[in-house]
Amino acid sequence: MWPTGTAPAQEFCSEDERLLVLASFDLGELDGDPELARITRFAAQLCNVPSAAVSLVEEQRQLFLASEGFDVGETPRSTSFCAHTMLGADILEVLDATDDQRFADFALVTGDSHVRYYVGAPLISSEGAPMGALCITDIEPRSKGLNELQTEGLLVLAEAVRRRIEAHRYANRTTLRLKASADRLQFMLDSVPDIAWSASADGQFDMFNARWTEVTGMPKPKTVEEWRPVVHPDDFEPSVAKFGEAVAAASHFEDEWRMRMPDGSYRWMLTRAVPSSDDPETARWFGTITDIDERYRLSEERELLAGELAHRIKNVFSVITGLITMNARGDANREAFGRELADNILALSKAQDFALRMDTTNGENLQDLLTVLMAPYGNAGSSPVSIHGDEVTFGRRAATPLALIFHEMATNSAKYGALGTSEGKVSIGIALETAQDKGVISITWHEAGGPPVKAPEGEGFGSRLMRMTITNQLGGTVTRDWHEDGLVAKIIIPQERLAQ
């Protein structure tokens, strides 16, 4: 606030600057304001006069925002006492206007208003711009002015007027800022391709962006039930039930359903919503609706294609296995080799089938693949193979070489090691480690409870295939130790190669 008893700032005393500040208050909205009316009424009583007013001096007129004892709402500026008062620092008091050359010829003095006594306290804006005055008047002149209490009281009342006027301007500015912010937010929401909405805690939908009407051509729903015309009949009840559960728990909501288009067709939508708090009683809801129809249908086509591809690949593997078996028949050496080769192809088939089911974005869990590969070596409800350790994902390219590696190890164990006996066990441990500042996957194959084993004298086809697969395709290393009760092998694979 501008300090009481201080003259207006010179830079705001020029008419253009002063009127610019005055316009910023939009004071016409305070015409007849009850608070100002009470102040003027009390000012008249305090000073024992019939009339008082809050006067604002505009370019051509003097406007009374509130008054007591005046029968007009404005007077010409040319006959305004307050136009003089507002330019000073202190109260202006005129005991007899007919004796004051500044005011003796004013129409308020010479005319029917018959003003003789005038006291005004200046109203100065917080910037220092003169605006008007809180004034009191009487039709009788006075021989002496206000007493000390009346003077101090009038200044206090003028300060109250200034605070009321400034509060009005501040409220208006805040409202304008909020409106501008809301307009920017609405413009942003209307510009996004998704439908955006909000709802109150009691389930009333109170905001939709422009996309709702553009997409549906329907009125904006206010209740859950009013969504029914735009949601596929098979999807409405399940989605409403799911949303009801989310509202009851104040938890994240997500669902996919079909939305009706203006032409009667349906498109798949993804709806997400979040509560403003974790209190179901008070939480507001903010949500979006995203068109995923093309992605959804493309996903269906891909699943269909993947299924067809998996079927054809299985047929190819079956044909190859059959050809190997048929051509190896009749020769003991070829039959043994053929069975081994057929088993490898079967492992490749399992890996390929597993890879076709994999999530192309996040990869698949290594433990899941090993579980599939080790399944033939267990009995119903139990397995001699335990798989444990860190969660490690791998990419499609790594599925086939991993299947070859662990198929070979399981086959050898079934022939010569722990998996060939009823008491034998195999433990497969998976660990994320660091080697030479790079992430690696360490896989330990540990056999126990099997027959005594020893290192082979030479490297057979299977062992050579496993070693070449680890080193060439996965960029890793393998070490094998033949302990008295079983093989312990450790495979190290760079994490980046496994993720491919």
Side-chain angles (χ1 to χ4, degrees), residues 39 110 150 156 169 191 212 229 383 389 483:
I39 292 173
T110 61
Q150 291 172 323
V156 170
R169 178 168 67 167
S191 301
W212 171 271
S383 173
H483 295 185

Side-chain angles (χ1 to χ4, degrees), residues 104-281:
D105 295 332
F106 278 12
L108 290 174
V109 178
T110 61
D112 294 338
S113 296
H114 202 69
V115 174
R116 293 293 181 268
Y117 180 62
Y118 169 90
V119 182
L123 299 177
I124 302 173
S125 74
S126 56
E127 300 93 335
M131 298 187 296
L134 170 63
C135 66
I136 60 168
T137 63
D138 197 350
I139 60 174
E140 298 292 336
R142 296 205 177 178
S143 58
K144 62 179 182 177
L146 299 177
N147 59 39
E148 184 177 346
L149 176 63
Q150 291 172 323
T151 301
E152 182 65 22
L154 192 62
L155 288 173
V156 170
L157 294 175
E159 186 69 18
V161 171
R162 290 173 58 192
R163 291 186 182 281
R164 175 70 184 101
I165 291 173
E166 291 285 353
H168 174 73
R169 178 168 67 167
Y170 179 79
N172 275 358
R173 286 177 173 176
T174 301
T175 300
L176 289 174
R177 283 195 296 269
L178 290 174
K179 184 179 184 306
S181 178
D183 289 344
R184 287 194 298 271
L185 176 60
Q186 189 65 50
F187 177 78
M188 180 190 73
L189 291 174
D190 289 341
S191 301
V192 299
D194 293 350
I195 295 173
W197 55 268
S198 69
S200 60
D202 60 357
Q204 295 295 309
F205 293 85
D206 49 22
M207 191 284 294
F208 285 84
N209 66 345
R211 285 292 293 163
W212 171 271
T213 304
E214 294 171 5
V215 172
T216 67
M218 297 285 289
K220 297 173 181 177
K222 296 180 180 178
T223 65
V224 170
E225 181 61 29
E226 290 178 12
W227 285 71
R228 189 181 290 274
V230 299
V231 180
H232 193 283
D234 294 342
D235 302 335
F236 181 76
E237 298 296 343
S239 190
V240 168
K242 193 173 182 179
F243 182 59
E245 292 174 359
V247 170
S251 60
H252 177 81
F253 168 73
E254 182 173 315
D255 197 17
E256 294 179 2
W257 47 269
R258 287 160 288 182
M259 174 177 280
R260 190 178 190 279
M261 299 292 106
D263 62 1
S265 64
Y266 286 91
R267 294 182 67 84
W268 280 98
M269 299 289 170
L270 171 64
T271 300
R272 291 190 178 101
V274 294
S276 61
S277 72
D278 58 3
D279 181 5
E281 298 296 325

Side-chain angles (χ1 to χ4, degrees), residues 22 27 30-44 51-57 62-70 72-75 80 82 118-124 131-137 154 157-165:
L22 195 63
L27 291 172
L30 285 178
D31 188 13
D33 179 71
E35 185 175 345
L36 295 179
R38 287 195 298 271
I39 292 173
T40 54
R41 189 160 50 248
F42 184 67
S51 306
V54 173
S55 168
L56 291 179
V57 180
Q62 173 179 252
L63 174 67
F64 299 135
L65 286 183
S67 63
E68 176 72 18
F70 283 91
V72 294
E74 61 180 70
T75 60
S80 170
C82 296
Y118 169 90
V119 182
L123 299 177
I124 302 173
M131 298 187 296
L134 170 63
C135 66
I136 60 168
T137 63
L154 192 62
L157 294 175
E159 186 69 18
V161 171
R162 290 173 58 192
R163 291 186 182 281
R164 175 70 184 101
I165 291 173

Side-chain angles (χ1 to χ4, degrees), residues 340 456 458-465:
E340 186 173 349
E459 189 178 41
F461 170 75
S463 296
R464 187 166 62 254
L465 176 64

Side-chain angles (χ1 to χ4, degrees), residues 390-393 430-434 439-442 495:
D390 295 331
E391 295 286 323
V392 173
T393 57
I430 304 169
L432 282 167
E433 298 178 355
T434 301
V440 296
I441 308 302
S442 173
Q495 191 173 1

Side-chain angles (χ1 to χ4, degrees), residues 320-321 324 336-346 407 461:
I320 293 173
T321 302
I324 292 171
F337 177 76
R339 283 194 300 271
E340 186 173 349
L341 187 57
D343 287 343
N344 283 328
I345 291 173
L346 179 60
H407 166 73
F461 170 75

Side-chain angles (χ1 to χ4, degrees), residues 370-448:
L370 294 178
T371 300
V372 171
L373 295 173
M374 297 298 114
Y377 301 95
N379 299 318
S382 66
S383 173
V385 181
S386 64
I387 304 167
H388 54 88
D390 295 331
E391 295 286 323
V392 173
T393 57
F394 63 94
R396 287 186 185 276
R397 290 185 181 181
T400 299
L402 286 170
L404 283 173
I405 293 166
F406 287 98
H407 166 73
E408 181 62 27
M409 297 190 73
T411 300
N412 286 337
S413 181
K415 289 180 180 178
Y416 315 112
L419 293 181
T421 65
S422 59
E423 296 81 13
K425 301 289 184 181
V426 174
S427 171
I428 305 177
I430 304 169
L432 282 167
E433 298 178 355
T434 301
Q436 298 178 349
D437 296 328
K438 292 185 178 179
V440 296
I441 308 302
S442 173
I443 307 172
T444 303
W445 173 284
H446 192 167
E447 297 184 25

